[in-house]
Amino acid sequence: MRWLDKAVLAISPERGLARVKARSAAHTLMNYDAASKGRRTYGWKSPGTSADSAALGSRSRLRNLSRDFMRNRALAVRGRDVTSGNVVGTGIRPSVRMEQGQEDRASEAMEVVQDHLLTSAIDTYGVSDILGLQTLVMNTVFTDGEILVRRRMRNTLFDPNLKLPFQVQLMEVDHLDESITSNGNNDVIEGIEYGPTGKAVAYHLFDQHPGEVGWRRRRKMTSTRVPAEQILHIRRIERPGQMRGIPWLAPVMTTLGEISDYQDSQILKQKIGSLLAFFVKSGADGKTYAGAQLSHLEPGAIVGLAEGQEVTPSEPPKVDGYQEFMNQAIRTIAVGLGLSYESFGDLRGVNFSSGKMGRIEMDRFVEIWQRAIIITQFCMGVSRWTRDGWRLVEASKGLAPVPKSIDWTAPKRPMIDPAKEIGAAVDEIEAGLTSLQRKQRELGYDPDVIAREREEDANRGGTPAAPANRNQRPPEDETIEEDEEDERQ
């Protein structure tokens, strides 16, 4: 301690101790270059806000900008389509798991699931089945950062075509009424009501989208308090306690916008360069050429010029380093989104090994998004609603027993080299490193469906061939004959 610190400590121990602690903390802080304040870190932001407060006040603008990028930026659309195409693909399909002793009624229960979830009956708007809704959910989570799914209970007496008494309605988060700040003793933040434990207990929703215009906006905007049990709030969670989502383009939005502007400017530059122009210099007499004849210049035309005048063509601008710059820019976007560079369409120089390595990292992210977003938040929520609705009409409609659970199987991942990859899967099963049904699910197949179909094939008289053992040795006599033939040669 310096003499001043000792003097302050003697006069006021509390202030003296605070000075010593502050100096000690400053010395510790300076051990990290990134934490220091100076020219190199000028402009760096480091607010200590919570996960949701970080985007408070700017969430709406980020969402609207992201939507505009989807309308006008090709790379943004590609990023969204690649993400949804890999996470959802052809759809994460449901299958039923019955209680013990009721396995023989699995086919009946599966018919109920197919009639309700795998048709447009599940959609409030009557457009998509559950597989189509999965794609729309993933697209919206990517673009807006979050989406609300509301359960709509129905009376099957008035709609007998519904097997189960509910439908789902996808709603953009713009429906949240952010003008409400409290409800009783509960706080309402950005339209979401939180209970004493910090859990969302209700959502305050407008009955129509605030952005509706024209004939569709017929009445005054009013909001309704909807219990959280009737809402699925789907988003990517990155920090503890996070309740809201942000657009996935947020980390790369500035870069993506500048890259798109650069690309447009290069296109305009080439367009101007392709317009060959002629400049006529004045002659010795000082007269200038009016250019009337040049205004209708056609290929092969011969234009007479006054004596002493000369024509020089324009020099189109050159584009240097455009390809290299765009490649690196797309790599930056791909890294920010968790996708591979090759998924944006450039497959030059890609072989099996490099393609496989690029897919491994991306597939890890895809599996995380599948499980944490679509399956856990959306599909399992719909499963819960399905089983609840099933119990209400099970007896009155004479349906199969309510399944013990509804499982979800993601679609198979496209193979780069099917022969090698299937062979490796067979080796894993034979070596005891995994089970057959686990590997079937990894490939996007439902083990129960496969077993049932193989049994049906056997009952029809077409006994399925047993899987060949690729490691099986030939009979001993054949081996001896081959060895003798080799010796004679």
Side-chain angles (χ1 to χ4, degrees):
M1 290 189 296
R2 300 177 182 178
W3 66 269
L4 182 59
D5 294 328
K6 294 180 180 179
V8 174
L9 188 62
I11 298 173
S12 177
E14 293 182 356
R15 293 187 178 181
L17 182 60
R19 287 173 59 88
V20 174
K21 286 183 177 180
R23 180 171 287 107
S24 177
H27 283 298
T28 303
L29 185 67
M30 293 310 170
N31 289 333
Y32 294 91
D33 292 339
S36 63
K37 295 182 179 180
R39 177 181 56 82
R40 297 177 62 189
T41 60
Y42 179 77
W44 289 14
K45 298 180 181 179
S46 56
T49 53
S50 66
D52 291 327
S53 298
L56 188 65
S58 59
R59 203 184 313 274
S60 176
R61 175 165 173 76
L62 285 173
R63 186 166 61 244
N64 292 334
L65 283 172
S66 181
R67 293 170 181 171
D68 183 72
F69 274 42
M70 293 302 162
R71 292 189 289 265
N72 298 295
R73 313 281 182 173
L75 291 176
V77 176
R78 178 67 178 181
R80 181 200 63 189
D81 292 345
V82 169
T83 301
S84 296
N86 281 272
V87 173
V88 177
T90 56
I92 302 175
R93 306 188 70 87
S95 60
V96 298
R97 188 181 300 274
M98 305 301 292
E99 296 283 358
Q100 188 174 2
Q102 297 178 341
E103 292 84 357
D104 58 334
R105 306 198 65 180
S107 297
E108 297 179 52
M110 194 61 201
E111 288 181 3
V112 177
V113 172
Q114 290 176 341
D115 289 344
H116 193 71
L117 297 185
L118 296 179
T119 66
S120 59
I122 187 63
D123 186 8
T124 297
Y125 303 107
V127 176
S128 303
D129 62 2
I130 194 66
L131 308 182
L133 294 179
Q134 291 170 3
T135 301
L136 188 53
V137 165
M138 193 64 226
N139 284 345
T140 308
V141 170
F142 182 94
T143 303
D144 296 354
E146 52 191 340
I147 187 175
L148 302 176
V149 182
R150 183 176 180 180
R151 179 178 64 179
R152 294 287 192 174
M153 298 303 297
R154 306 300 187 200
N155 190 335
T156 55
L157 294 178
F158 299 103
D159 197 345
N161 293 327
L162 289 180
K163 272 293 181 68
L164 301 178
F166 81 98
Q167 293 178 315
V168 297
Q169 179 184 9
L170 303 190
M171 308 176 70
E172 294 180 329
V173 292
D174 304 68
H175 283 264
L176 289 170
D177 186 355
E178 299 183 359
S179 64
I180 300 176
T181 58
S182 64
N183 182 54
N185 295 326
N186 294 337
D187 291 331
V188 180
I189 304 175
E190 293 183 306
I192 303 178
E193 181 179 334
Y194 299 95
T197 63
K199 181 181 178 181
V201 296
Y203 292 79
H204 295 261
L205 303 176
F206 290 119
D207 55 356
Q208 59 181 350
H209 196 288
E212 289 288 6
V213 294
W215 65 270
R216 297 190 65 178
R217 188 168 185 170
R218 297 178 178 176
R219 54 190 181 275
K220 182 180 179 181
M221 296 290 294
T222 57
S223 61
T224 304
R225 183 181 184 273
V226 181
E229 293 77 14
Q230 301 179 22
I231 297 292
L232 302 178
H233 186 186
I234 302 168
R235 71 278 189 197
R236 182 171 66 177
I237 300 175
E238 299 175 316
R239 293 178 59 182
Q242 181 178 344
M243 298 299 294
R244 300 296 304 271
I246 60 172
W248 289 24
L249 289 178
V252 297
M253 194 173 290
T254 302
T255 303
L256 183 58
E258 292 176 345
I259 290 171
S260 299
D261 293 341
Y262 167 78
Q263 190 175 28
D264 290 341
S265 66
Q266 291 290 1
I267 293 174
L268 180 60
K269 185 177 180 180
Q270 289 301 298
K271 183 177 180 180
I272 294 174
S274 65
L275 300 174
L276 185 62
F278 293 90
F279 303 93
V280 181
K281 296 182 178 180
S282 61
D285 56 359
K287 295 181 179 180
T288 58
Y289 186 71
Q293 296 179 14
L294 291 179
S295 62
H296 300 288
L297 186 62
E298 298 177 355
I302 300 176
V303 180
L305 299 175
E307 184 178 355
Q309 295 180 333
E310 60 177 305
V311 176
T312 58
S314 63
E315 296 182 4
K318 297 180 181 179
V319 178
D320 298 324
Y322 172 77
Q323 186 65 50
E324 293 78 6
F325 177 82
M326 288 301 298
N327 289 346
Q328 293 301 321
I330 295 175
R331 282 189 172 90
T332 301
I333 296 172
V335 169
L337 296 178
L339 306 175
S340 66
Y341 168 75
E342 291 77 17
S343 65
F344 278 79
D346 188 359
L347 299 177
R348 292 174 298 175
V350 177
N351 53 30
F352 175 78
S353 298
S354 61
K356 184 69 174 178
M357 291 299 294
R359 277 279 303 276
I360 287 176
E361 291 297 326
M362 177 175 162
D363 286 350
R364 294 293 186 192
F365 291 129
V366 168
E367 291 173 1
I368 293 173
W369 299 333
Q370 279 179 343
R371 184 67 187 174
I373 299 176
I374 298 299
I375 295 179
T376 301
Q377 297 185 49
F378 179 61
C379 294
M380 288 187 176
V382 173
S383 297
R384 184 174 65 253
W385 290 346
T386 300
R387 296 173 68 243
D388 290 344
W390 202 317
R391 294 187 185 96
L392 295 176
V393 296
E394 177 183 357
S396 62
K397 286 201 169 189
L399 301 180
V402 179
K404 179 181 179 180
S405 65
I406 298 179
D407 300 331
W408 298 86
T409 303
K412 65 178 181 180
R413 305 290 298 143
M415 296 184 180
I416 299 177
D417 191 330
K420 291 182 180 180
E421 296 183 53
I422 292 178
V426 173
D427 290 341
E428 288 184 25
I429 296 172
E430 293 178 350
L433 299 178
T434 186
S435 64
L436 176 60
Q437 62 177 341
R438 180 185 293 272
K439 185 57 66 174
Q440 288 172 338
R441 289 193 181 278
E442 290 179 0
L443 294 176
Y445 303 109
D446 187 342
D448 296 333
V449 173
I450 293 178
R452 184 167 61 250
E453 291 178 349
R454 288 175 65 87
E455 183 179 353
E456 293 173 354
D457 290 342
N459 294 334
R460 292 192 183 101
T463 303
N469 188 346
R470 298 185 302 112
N471 297 324
Q472 183 178 0
R473 294 178 59 84
E476 190 66 25
D477 54 346
E478 293 182 10
T479 304
I480 295 175
E481 292 177 1
E482 292 177 358
D483 293 341
E484 292 176 350
E485 180 65 24
D486 292 340
E487 290 178 359
R488 286 194 300 269
Q489 291 178 355

